[in-house]
Amino acid sequence: MDQIIPFINEVGFPIVVTLYLLYRIESKYDLVV
């Protein structure tokens, strides 16, 4: 369990940022169309 938590901290943050950016791009794309 102690090895999984740092893995989630390293991998989970970029995933959250990526999903956030995709959401922002999608909302801007809807404004253009």
Side-chain angles (χ1 to χ4, degrees):
M1 187 65 185
D2 292 339
Q3 293 177 343
I4 295 175
I5 293 174
F7 179 76
I8 293 174
N9 287 337
E10 290 182 16
V11 178
F13 181 72
I15 289 174
V16 171
V17 172
T18 301
L19 291 175
Y20 174 74
L21 290 176
L22 286 174
Y23 175 77
R24 288 285 304 270
I25 292 171
E26 186 178 355
S27 62
K28 289 183 180 180
Y29 181 76
D30 290 340
L31 290 176
V32 173
V33 177

